[in-house]
Amino acid sequence: MSSIPTFQCPNCGSTVTTNGADKEVQCAYCGSTVIVPEELRNAPQPQPQPMQYSFGQPSQPTQPSEPVFQNMATVGKVAAGTAIGITAMSFILPIILTCVILAAVGGILFYVFSNVNSTIQQTTQAFSTAAAPANLVPTSAPAPTPTLVPTPAIPTPVPFTKTLLKDDFTNPSSGWSRVKNQNYTLEYKNGNYHILIQTDGQIVWSGSQYTNVSVEVDVQETAGPSDGMIGISCRANSNKGWYTFEFDQNGDYGIYKYDSTGNNPEGP
């Protein structure tokens, strides 16, 4: 039983696995593309070469030694070609004449029957129009138009005119928490802010304190179980709890309320 080849990511130091067939793989932790060492790649298999056979030079046809035989062969070919041409014409000519005669007769019959059918249809329509009485259809009163209740318009939210905080995390000294312990890690990495949770059930956040604000953030889960939740928290109080808006990789989302111990007694 062979083991799966692995090596360390040169960017973040995480363990990267390879199947031996790829020259480049993507790190599951930092997302960077790294080159697989040559000693972990599978050796290319030799391609089978096609077999070649040689049968020597083709022999030249033997020519007749006497001019008399050549003349006799030419005369025989001409006579055979003339006989084949006469026989073919004797079969093809009657077939062509028969097809021409059938096409002419068919065209005449089609013309006659088309005129007769058109005359019969015109006569039938004339008698039907003269004999059929006029149908009087009573006109019904128009249905009353239902009264449409106007839908109340949704008020347009008033945009905020002042930006309190905006960060693309390219500056590692912009003020976000930087912590690393056995339970979780908060750090700047590759132009992003990374949150790594190493303990099951651990709740971790990083942010600032503001009042009556509009929040917008781009988040992405790069590794870990599919039931992990990510999002935005607000109104955090160590004695009372906090509220969150969270979603997972399956597309499920909701607004949650937590108590001071981190439990969610009321659900979403």
Side-chain angles (χ1 to χ4, degrees):
M1 181 175 182
S2 60
S3 60
I4 299 177
T6 60
F7 64 96
Q8 300 296 322
C9 176
N11 294 327
C12 64
S14 301
T15 301
V16 181
T17 61
T18 175
N19 55 12
D22 298 326
K23 295 182 179 180
E24 296 181 353
V25 295
Q26 187 175 17
C27 178
Y29 175 70
C30 65
S32 59
T33 302
V34 296
I35 299 176
V36 180
E38 293 184 358
E39 61 270 18
L40 298 181
R41 305 179 192 171
N42 295 333
Q45 299 296 329
Q47 299 295 330
Q49 300 296 327
M51 300 182 65
Q52 298 181 358
Y53 301 92
S54 178
F55 296 96
Q57 298 295 329
S59 60
Q60 299 295 331
T62 304
Q63 300 294 333
S65 59
E66 296 294 337
V68 177
F69 294 127
Q70 295 180 357
N71 294 333
M72 292 179 63
T74 303
V75 173
K77 291 181 181 179
V78 172
T82 304
I84 293 174
I86 295 174
T87 304
M89 290 298 296
S90 63
F91 281 101
I92 296 175
L93 186 59
I95 295 175
I96 295 175
L97 293 176
T98 303
C99 293
V100 172
I101 295 172
L102 291 177
V105 173
I108 295 172
L109 294 177
F110 177 79
Y111 177 79
V112 173
F113 281 108
S114 297
N115 291 337
V116 172
N117 188 27
S118 177
T119 303
I120 294 174
Q121 290 181 354
Q122 292 177 0
T123 305
T124 304
Q125 292 178 358
F127 280 104
S128 300
T129 304
N135 295 325
L136 301 178
V137 179
T139 303
S140 58
T145 303
T147 303
L148 299 178
V149 178
T151 303
I154 299 175
T156 303
V158 179
F160 288 88
T161 58
K162 182 178 180 182
T163 302
L164 300 177
L165 176 63
K166 184 178 181 180
D167 197 347
D168 59 1
F169 305 110
T170 56
N171 181 13
S173 302
S174 60
W176 295 84
S177 300
R178 304 175 70 175
V179 180
K180 188 172 184 180
N181 54 40
Q182 61 181 1
N183 296 324
Y184 61 89
T185 300
L186 304 176
E187 61 180 347
Y188 291 82
K189 190 173 185 179
N190 298 328
N192 297 286
Y193 188 71
H194 282 241
I195 299 178
L196 174 63
I197 299 177
Q198 298 171 306
T199 302
D200 188 20
Q202 184 75 38
I203 300 176
V204 180
W205 70 82
S206 179
S208 302
Q209 296 292 334
Y210 293 100
T211 302
N212 192 20
V213 294
S214 176
V215 181
E216 180 180 350
V217 61
D218 295 330
V219 294
Q220 180 183 6
E221 184 175 357
T222 59
S226 60
D227 58 350
M229 305 293 289
I230 53 179
I232 300 173
S233 62
C234 61
R235 300 184 67 180
N237 188 305
S238 59
N239 297 324
K240 297 181 179 180
W242 62 90
Y243 293 89
T244 63
F245 172 76
E246 305 176 30
F247 62 93
D248 58 15
Q249 290 184 354
N250 300 323
D252 299 325
Y253 61 90
I255 298 176
Y256 301 87
K257 178 181 179 181
Y258 293 88
D259 58 18
S260 59
T261 62
N263 294 322
N264 182 18
E266 299 182 1

